[in-house]
Each structure stands twice: as structure tokens, then as C-alpha cells.
Amino acid sequence: MEEKKEILILAIESSCDETAAAVVKNGREVLSNVISSQIDLHTLYGGVVPEIASRKHVERINYVIQEALGQADVTLKDLDAIGVTYGPGLVGALLVGVAEAKAISYAAGLPLVGVHHIEGHISANYIEHQELEPPFVCLVVSGGHTHLVIVHDYGEYEITGKTRDDAAGEAFDKVARAVGLGYPGGPKIDRISKEGNADAIHFPRAKVEGAPYDFSFSGVKSAVLNHINGCRMKGEEVCQADIAASFQKAVCDVLVSHALAAVKDYGMQKLVLAGGVASNTSLRSMMETACKKERISLYYPSPVLCTDNAAMIGAAAYYEYQRGVRHGLDLNAVPNLKLGERQEKR
Ligand code: KG4
Ligand code: ZN
């Protein structure tokens, strides 16, 4: 049979607080990327409320998909497959996307390809860096994950390091709340840090004994809280910008040193950043400087592809589709899905 040249995938993402759909061609060309964010709603509660997230996904998903198909100027008949995030994430939120994808797959007779959310974040880089191919080291830093992943090939992942406690994004969010910046913390700390002195306060850079690529951010978070309490007890003013900048530098220092060590130890030439925290301006510039010095090629997506979106799921789904991965209508949401683990039907 003659091989079809163009593979069009409709991708759906609903693992947390963004309802998103995209149409992606051959894994690297985005024809549409529609994101309906619920951030404003969750800001009222200081964080994501799972029950509200699920309800909003149900309300918005059909509109988001129609919009994605419309903007790409395609109909279901033009598609080759449906890609969907089935884990990890909030179970009720994931179920909305998975149920929707299964319904479309059944109704339109299209193959279903379940995608791991982290694989999606990593694959966001294939969209904007057409020349990027594995192998490489990827630092995945998001609200729920901090992983150092060796990407041996498409779909072949080895997790060499991960956080022992808080994820990097989670630490940003908690520190932002403590200094009174509110939710979501990452972008707010990023912004206010530009007005602060990153060397004003020395916060700890944690190492995990015997695990050189693992992370721990609970210590730096506690150190920030202790610093704030100390200032208040002494009646001193708490300088939000200095705390934010010093905290951000402490976190980025660790991310840079661990990521570069992994690149060197694994004999790689390329370092890739992914996930919401990869849009942090300080992390990007510190990584740029360090990689230039070590002659390592650095890649990261533009901010809209760092945070949750469906285009990245479409890119990942394409490579899974090409590897022959197909899921049945028994595909379920897996809130703690491990990278590389599959619920597969070939
Ligand atoms: O990848 P993402 O959208 O969702 C997850 O899969 O978790 O990441 C969201 C996380 C949040 O913790 C948010 O505070 C953080 O990414 N974030 C940032 C920045 N933009 C988003 N952290 C630091 N600096 C930023 N500019
Ligand atoms: Zn994410």
C-alpha cells in the first residue's frame, strides 16, 4: 500500500485547568491551537479546584474542538487519528478529554492514540525546532513534574532524575502565595524578580545524597517561609521583589547544574527544556549562558507551547501513531501514569 504523506491529527488536552484542542500535520506543523484557560476561575480559590476544572471542561470542550477544526479548515473526514492526554493529571479532568476523544473516534471511525502528558510537553519542541531529533536530554519543569529525561528516540524515555518532594512550578506557586503575589505564582515571580536583587538573600540549593540528578524544593520553600516570618518578628519590611529574585535564582541554579551534569554524563550534545516553568525568563537566560560555555545546543518552546496546550499532544500523538500505537474504546484516564508505561492495543 502506498504510504500516505500527510497525517492530520486532532489532539485534545484536559489534564488540568486548560481545555485545549489542536490540529497538527505530520507532528510538526500546527494548523490550529485553541486553548480555553480556566485560570481566572481558579484564582478565586488560590489554586486549581478539581471539581470546578472537570465541570468547565465539560462546558467548553465541544466549542474548543469545533474552533480547532474550523481554524484549521478541516472536517472530521480529513483526519487520520484522534490524540488525547490520558494521564497523568486530575482524574475527573482527564476523563472529559478521554470520553470526548473516544466518542469522536467511534463516531468518525478514526484511530485513537492516547498520549502521556509529559511526552506532550517534550514534543512541543518538535513544533518550533524542525531540525530537532532525539537523542537529547530534556528537563521537564511544570506545575506537577520536575524530571530529567533522557530521550533516546521518539517514544523511548529514561527518567534519570526527578523531584523528591515539590515540583519546581509548585514551589513557585507556593512561594508566590507566601509573599502575597497570588495564583498562578510562576509568571508573577518571574515578573517581579526583574525589580529585585537576586543576591539579596541566600536560599539553599539542595542536593540529594547519592542521586545527582534528583531534585528537592521543599527546603528552599521552607527557607523562604522562615525568612518571611523572621522579617515579620523583627518588624522589618518584607521585600517581595528581593525574595522572589533570590528564590528564583536558587531554583534555577539547581535546575541548570543538574541538567548540564546529565548532558555531560550521558555524552549528549543537546539540552531541551519543557513545561510551564520553561517559560521562566531567568531559567532561559541562565541555561543559555551555561550551554554556550559548554558548547551544548539548547532548545525551548515559546511560552504558549511551554504551558498546557493541545498542539504538543498532537506532536506526541503523531510519533506514537507512526510507531503503531492504537488504543481501544476501553482507554481510561490514569491520574498517575508513568512515562513509558502504556495501556496499549496494537
Ligand atoms: O506545564 P504547565 O502549564 O502545567 C502542568 O503540567 O503542571 O505548568 C504550570 C506551572 C505552574 O506551576 C506555573 O506557576 C508555572 O508552570 N509557570 C512558571 C512560569 N509560567 C508558568 N513558572 C516560572 N516562571 C514562569 N514564567
Ligand atoms: Zn502540563
Side-chain angles (χ1 to χ4, degrees), residues 143-202:
H145 309 271
T146 303
H147 283 6
L148 259 175
V149 184
I150 313 300
V151 181
H152 291 289
D153 204 343
Y154 294 108
E156 273 184 37
Y157 305 101
E158 176 190 344
I159 300 173
T160 189
K162 58 181 166 200
T163 181
R164 295 292 179 101
D165 38 58
D166 291 348
E170 200 179 346
F172 270 90
D173 294 336
K174 287 178 178 170
V175 165
R177 198 176 309 149
V179 294
L181 289 169
Y183 176 85
K188 292 186 172 162
I189 293 214
D190 194 350
R191 216 169 304 130
I192 201 170
S193 291
K194 296 190 192 344
E195 295 155 26
N197 173 6
D199 298 313
I201 310 144
H202 184 83

Side-chain angles (χ1 to χ4, degrees), residues 117 121 142 308 312:
H117 184 73
H121 275 300
S142 71
D308 289 350
M312 67 184 198

Side-chain angles (χ1 to χ4, degrees), residues 18-271:
E18 333 278 351
T19 320
V23 178
V24 179
K25 187 159 104 182
N26 295 338
R28 301 226 178 201
E29 190 183 335
V30 178
L31 303 189
S32 63
N33 186 24
V34 180
I35 306 167
S36 170
S37 176
Q38 306 175 5
I39 277 186
D40 292 351
L41 272 173
H42 299 289
T43 300
L44 299 172
Y45 305 95
V48 178
V49 184
E51 177 66 23
I52 295 176
S54 315
R55 285 167 186 256
K56 288 293 154 190
H57 286 313
V58 171
E59 278 174 26
R60 295 175 180 182
I61 199 153
N62 283 329
Y63 165 77
V64 164
I65 290 171
Q66 272 168 0
E67 201 52 31
L69 292 171
Q71 287 181 18
D73 199 17
V74 298
T75 67
L76 292 179
K77 288 198 184 70
D78 301 314
L79 299 174
D80 296 280
I82 309 288
V84 65
T85 308
Y86 71 105
L90 302 169
V91 69
L94 287 164
L95 274 170
V96 177
V98 169
E100 180 84 16
K102 289 200 283 192
I104 298 174
S105 157
Y106 181 67
L110 288 165
L112 181 66
V113 181
V115 171
H116 190 287
H117 184 73
I118 296 298
E119 183 174 19
H121 275 300
I122 296 170
S123 305
N125 283 282
Y126 298 137
I127 295 168
E128 285 182 322
H129 306 293
Q130 298 289 319
E131 75 287 8
L132 179 64
E133 305 254 8
F136 54 79
V137 173
C138 186
L139 173 69
V140 185
V141 269
S142 71
H145 309 271
T146 303
H147 283 6
L148 259 175
V149 184
I150 313 300
V151 181
H152 291 289
D153 204 343
Y154 294 108
E156 273 184 37
Y157 305 101
E158 176 190 344
I159 300 173
T160 189
K162 58 181 166 200
T163 181
R164 295 292 179 101
D165 38 58
D166 291 348
E170 200 179 346
F172 270 90
D173 294 336
K174 287 178 178 170
V175 165
R177 198 176 309 149
V179 294
L181 289 169
Y183 176 85
K188 292 186 172 162
I189 293 214
D190 194 350
R191 216 169 304 130
I192 201 170
S193 291
K194 296 190 192 344
E195 295 155 26
N197 173 6
D199 298 313
I201 310 144
H202 184 83
F203 290 126
R205 277 84 169 144
K207 284 203 166 75
V208 179
E209 194 67 34
Y213 312 119
D214 277 1
F215 303 93
S216 167
F217 295 112
S218 64
V220 62
K221 182 193 67 190
S222 304
V224 172
L225 296 178
N226 288 341
H227 176 81
I228 296 171
N229 286 337
C231 289
R232 290 201 177 126
M233 277 161 70
K234 285 184 259 169
E236 289 171 8
E237 205 186 313
V238 174
C239 178
Q240 277 184 329
D242 283 353
I243 295 175
S246 303
F247 158 78
Q248 182 172 272
K249 190 173 178 195
V251 171
C252 293
D253 264 349
V254 175
L255 295 174
V256 170
S257 67
H258 283 39
L260 263 78
V263 173
K264 280 191 232 163
D265 297 350
Y266 280 84
M268 298 277 178
Q269 276 85 42
K270 292 176 255 180
L271 174 62

